[in-house]
Amino acid sequence: MTGSSDPQTFPTPTIMPLGDSGLLVRFGNTLNDAANRAAIALARALERDPIAGVVEVVPNLVSVLLRYDPLAAAPATIAGELRLRLFALGNATQPAQSWTIPTRFDGPDIDEVAALFGMTTADFVAAHNAQPLRVLVTGFAPGFVYCGLHGDGLMLPRRTSVRPAVPAGSVLFAAGQTAITATDMPTGWHVIGHTDFRNFDAASEPPTRLQPGDSVTFEAET
Amino acid sequence: MALTILRAGPLTSIQDAGRFGMLRHGISASGPMDGGAFAQAGALAGGRRGGVEFTMAGLEIRLESGRCRVGFAGGDFVARHNGAVLDWPGVVMLGEGDTLSVTPGGWGNYGYLRFDADIDVPLVMGSMATSSRAQLGGLEGRVLRAGDVIALSGDGGSGVLEVEQTEPVTGPIRVIWGLHADLFPQALRQRFLATPFVISSRLDRMGVRLEDAGSVFAEAVALSLVSDAIVPGDIQILGDGTPIVLMRDHQPTGGYPRIATVITADLDRFAQLRPGTPVAFEPVTVEHAHALLRSR
């Protein structure tokens, strides 16, 4: 997935209120590469060049939430500032960090997942690890990271049943993405492996390490 | 200085204003379910940072040593100092060995105790708010229970002795149309406004489920949506048609459709509605919501 920083490639966003203290800038209604890259680029632009009155910038899969203090800033003013930054989007994209995540591909669902693609487990792991993935978004749960997008050849829906708890460090696979958990949690995703990498430490500042836009390579650990 | 929890209802927790700026790391702000009552109790006590949020079942504490001023507010409860009934909301000076008990009154789900001393628990990511979802903050990231001892330190804010009696405000809960309002047909949005819902008994700091007795969402189609940001007050419709209002310990993102968001000025009031209470929603503009906030 090579990403052009040409602003022309970013989809036109809609700006809508989310309650009375948030504006949501949404680049699409479905998860796609261009919308996700635009959301990450906008969030970074807002960190470099903050808007007065905006108290928190939260990148999501295809959108960015701007939380603001309604007693300090009018949403119309924020939206105006936002348009200026959207217009300049794509200039000066920071290089993202690259990470290698050593993973034991021994999860309870790995053989079934490989079989659903008609592959041996080893071939599936090789295909899974062939390309670096991008951190699409963080934050569904503490330190939770979605990486993607896998190509059409590695698309699989979620499981029909939910596992009540998988441990921190579980490597999950579904919907063209690979996710890493940082806390124990329930999941309907396929559990394909486990890593000792922990993307959450409440005592660190910031408490997570992976940022949206970072490059992640999964590496099979024996 | 320390106090012992002698009796605690479920979901009693240490809170402060909240843990902000952590949504992208997967942690919602938490903080008091009724921020106005939390602030009132703080003003009565003399304004130190944290406080104890208790639920409808009430609370009883004993001050083990020292002297401490305690402000209390939120909902309608009965407070007793060593057995003697106090005005609610109000303030009391506790001496060594004194007890303060709180039992349920006529309305409300949440009340607050605040102190003219600091609660000695470590700040986690800058806040002492307990997150029931992330299990961090407060005392070991968990709810308080009988036998817990909470250390207090420092002294001496200056509280206010003027106590404003609170009456429950009635009327519809005001909302701003939500992220996915356009996915609900016009007729269904009209029924959402015209049909009263009922607060169910399934409520906690993460969300309040509503009984949809009018079957407004019975035939709502389960949509497959890209996961997006959630804010407190978002009204999301689960796959089985159950409406749920997301509260302070909400999940940071979600993929269920959201029809509307409760305005900030009404979220405290909504949090205090007990199970069985009918609730109606009324849409307002963002500008109107801001005007209501400014006039509080």
Side-chain angles (χ1 to χ4, degrees):
Chain A
M1 263 181 310
T2 51
S4 161
S5 61
D6 181 352
Q8 307 286 323
T9 65
F10 288 139
T12 304
T14 52
I15 302 173
M16 60 179 73
L18 186 49
D20 56 25
S21 316
L23 281 178
L24 193 74
V25 186
R26 199 159 61 162
F27 292 94
N29 293 322
T30 58
L31 174 55
N32 63 80
D33 197 65
N36 176 253
R37 282 194 293 109
I40 292 169
L42 175 61
R44 287 190 174 169
L46 290 168
E47 279 156 34
R48 279 197 308 274
D49 188 8
I51 298 174
V54 172
V55 295
E56 185 169 8
V57 173
V58 191
N60 304 294
L61 279 169
V62 297
S63 72
V64 180
L65 171 66
L66 282 72
R67 281 187 53 247
Y68 63 91
D69 175 0
L71 300 179
T77 312
I78 295 171
E81 288 290 320
L82 199 48
R83 283 187 199 97
L84 294 175
R85 284 156 184 78
L86 285 165
F87 188 72
L89 209 58
N91 303 330
T93 304
Q94 292 170 328
Q97 267 194 280
S98 295
W99 302 82
T100 299
I101 308 289
T103 301
R104 293 183 296 284
F105 285 93
D106 59 357
D109 300 324
I110 183 102
D111 295 336
E112 188 188 338
V113 166
L116 286 167
F117 290 121
M119 297 180 188
T120 65
T121 300
D123 285 349
F124 168 73
V125 171
H128 178 275
N129 296 355
Q131 313 276 352
L133 300 173
R134 188 178 66 241
V135 177
L136 302 174
V137 69
T138 62
F140 162 71
F144 191 89
V145 179
Y146 298 81
C147 305
L149 286 163
H150 292 291
D152 290 344
L154 287 185
M155 274 290 197
L156 204 62
R158 296 177 188 200
R159 285 158 46 86
T160 47
S161 63
V162 170
R163 281 201 165 82
V166 297
S170 291
V171 176
L172 311 178
F173 180 82
Q177 299 160 67
T178 297
I180 313 170
T181 69
T183 52
D184 296 357
M185 62 189 294
T187 185
W189 290 39
H190 306 271
V191 182
I192 61 170
H194 192 267
T195 177
D196 294 332
F197 179 85
R198 286 293 174 279
N199 191 43
F200 184 74
D201 175 8
S204 294
E205 170 54 42
T208 61
R209 299 155 81 187
L210 297 177
Q211 296 296 315
D214 283 359
S215 170
V216 172
T217 302
F218 287 89
E219 190 177 77
E221 208 180 37
T222 49
Chain B
M1 201 162 35
L3 59 85
T4 301
I5 306 284
L6 300 178
R7 176 174 60 80
L11 308 183
T12 302
S13 65
I14 294 172
Q15 295 295 333
D16 63 13
R19 181 178 290 104
F20 295 98
M22 294 291 151
L23 276 172
R24 64 153 57 194
H25 304 296
I27 297 158
S28 49
S30 297
M33 294 289 279
D34 182 343
F38 180 81
Q40 187 186 15
L44 290 165
R48 304 302 278 244
R49 179 174 188 158
V52 173
E53 177 179 275
F54 52 88
T55 51
M56 208 175 90
L59 181 75
E60 186 167 1
I61 63 167
R62 181 176 61 225
L63 191 69
E64 300 299 350
S65 57
R67 281 171 65 76
C68 182
R69 181 146 99 166
V70 185
F72 42 87
D76 178 39
F77 291 87
V78 178
R80 287 184 179 83
H81 176 209
N82 296 334
V85 173
L86 304 169
D87 285 340
W88 182 278
V91 61
V92 66
M93 183 65 79
L94 295 187
E96 189 170 316
D98 283 2
T99 60
L100 178 64
S101 93
V102 180
T103 50
W107 61 272
N109 294 317
Y110 299 97
Y112 299 89
L113 297 187
R114 296 189 65 188
F115 314 97
D116 66 345
D118 289 313
I119 297 178
D120 283 343
V121 292
L123 298 185
V124 177
M125 289 171 270
S127 164
M128 67 174 73
T130 309
S131 166
S132 59
R133 178 172 293 277
Q135 297 182 320
L136 48 78
L139 190 69
E140 301 162 357
R142 62 171 174 81
V143 297
L144 298 177
R145 49 192 183 229
D148 282 340
V149 177
I150 300 171
L152 301 169
S153 65
D155 68 320
S158 52
V160 294
L161 293 171
E162 290 281 313
V163 179
E164 219 176 291
Q165 295 296 326
T166 38
E167 291 294 325
V169 180
T170 53
I173 296 291
R174 288 157 295 188
V175 297
I176 292 163
W177 287 117
L179 187 50
H180 306 112
D182 59 336
L183 300 180
F184 296 91
Q186 170 74 9
L188 193 134
R189 274 184 278 157
Q190 282 306 321
R191 288 183 60 208
F192 168 70
L193 301 177
T195 314
F197 296 85
V198 173
I199 305 288
S200 81
S201 57
R202 298 183 66 186
L203 58 85
D204 59 20
R205 290 186 44 85
M206 298 186 214
V208 177
R209 285 175 192 245
L210 303 177
E211 286 168 17
D212 180 10
S215 300
V216 172
F217 294 109
E219 284 165 37
V221 182
L223 300 159
S224 181
L225 299 172
V226 60
S227 186
D228 218 326
I230 288 175
V231 295
D234 269 350
I235 305 173
Q236 97 182 347
I237 313 301
L238 300 182
D240 66 359
T242 303
I244 175 167
V245 183
L246 297 162
M247 303 301 284
R248 303 289 174 187
D249 288 354
H250 64 88
Q251 63 203 74
T253 64
Y256 288 112
R258 278 164 272 154
I259 190 168
T261 304
V262 176
I263 68 171
T264 305
D266 281 359
L267 194 58
D268 289 356
R269 175 159 70 94
F270 177 79
Q272 294 286 15
L273 298 178
R274 285 185 178 174
T277 309
V279 56
F281 297 103
E282 178 183 294
V284 295
T285 63
V286 173
E287 291 73 17
H288 187 68
H290 290 169
L292 289 167
L293 263 186
R294 281 192 291 269
S295 68
R296 274 214 294 200

